[in-house]
Amino acid sequence: MQNNIYTRQEIMNKTGVTPEQLKAWQSFKLLQPVGYTDDKQPVYSHRLLEQIEKIKGLLDMGYELSDIQKIIRKIGLPQAEQKPAVPADASFLTVGTLAQRVDASPRTLKYWETIGIIEPDMRSEGGFRLYSEHWVYLCQLIKDLQLFGYSLEEIKEISDYFRELAVRMQGHLEAISKSTAAAQIQAWQHEIDALFEKIEQYKQGIQRWEELLKRKRKEINQLQSQNQKRPDSKGASHA
């Protein structure tokens, strides 16, 4: 994944634009963030750097912000008409928030990223990571597999299978030879069957333990009731 976003501070550092200028330009809708973090901080597309230079050039030529706004509305700035990679009102999770949502540490999530199990949707040059909402569910699935006894290496292999299914095969089947596709589909089917088998084993184990714990809870409640009905005995041994 490429570094494809910038935080507000990174934009200012790269372009020399002041916070006041950035705020004013956004109020005239000359610049728009590509999305927001979960704590409402804006993040910007890499194309914004070129747009800022064009705006600075128009200002140097004597145009007012209102004039530049009209220019953008009529003909746009170079590349301004291109659609952003994500909706303008998109919201993303920081690594800290994602960690809280899935009850894991940020260090754990970063390690998962290092070994290729998860991947942030966007990252800045400074290493600031943003994740879309669907990673909450996927991280929960990863934790489920850990409960099932899978190692991180095995989870990585499973995630690669499903990632390749979603990215390479679905919608692109004609670009792959029939024999290659058949072998890959068979491998996925085998992996899914193995997961189903392990899940069924866990279901049976959970059912056994639920039945056992219900019996023991009932026995404990009966003992508690019997004990409460006993007369107090000052000389009773506590051994």
Side-chain angles (χ1 to χ4, degrees), residues 16-160:
V17 173
T18 66
E20 293 75 17
Q21 287 176 313
L22 197 60
K23 183 178 180 180
W25 294 3
Q26 286 191 196
S27 68
F28 277 86
K29 300 187 183 304
L30 305 183
L31 305 173
Q32 293 296 328
V34 72
Y36 295 87
T37 67
D38 48 84
D39 56 355
K40 308 304 181 185
Q41 297 300 313
V43 290
Y44 302 88
S45 165
H46 65 282
R47 289 194 297 268
L48 192 71
L49 298 176
E50 183 178 347
Q51 289 182 230
I52 286 177
E53 293 305 317
K54 296 297 181 182
I55 291 171
K56 290 168 68 175
L58 291 172
L59 289 171
D60 290 341
M61 294 171 62
Y63 287 95
E64 299 291 337
L65 291 180
S66 57
D67 297 325
I68 299 174
Q69 184 183 53
K70 293 176 182 178
I71 293 172
I72 292 177
R73 286 177 177 174
K74 290 182 177 180
I75 61 174
L77 290 172
Q79 297 187 356
E81 73 283 0
Q82 296 183 12
K83 293 182 178 180
V86 295
D89 59 349
S91 180
F92 299 92
L93 305 176
T94 61
V95 66
T97 298
L98 179 60
Q100 292 177 356
R101 294 277 298 275
V102 302
D103 193 23
S105 69
R107 184 176 181 179
T108 294
L109 298 187
K110 290 179 180 178
Y111 180 67
W112 289 357
E113 180 189 339
T114 299
I115 62 178
I117 296 178
I118 67 173
E119 184 178 30
D121 294 85
M122 296 192 290
R123 183 194 301 169
S124 73
E125 286 186 335
F128 186 77
R129 295 166 172 81
L130 291 178
Y131 302 82
S132 57
E133 185 71 23
H134 80 280
W135 282 109
V136 174
Y137 178 65
L138 293 178
C139 286
Q140 289 170 338
L141 290 178
I142 292 169
K143 293 184 67 178
D144 290 340
L145 288 177
Q146 288 183 310
L147 288 175
F148 294 164
Y150 282 84
S151 67
L152 288 178
E153 290 76 15
E154 291 171 324
I155 295 173
K156 168 65 166 59
E157 185 176 354
I158 293 171
S159 68
D160 287 345

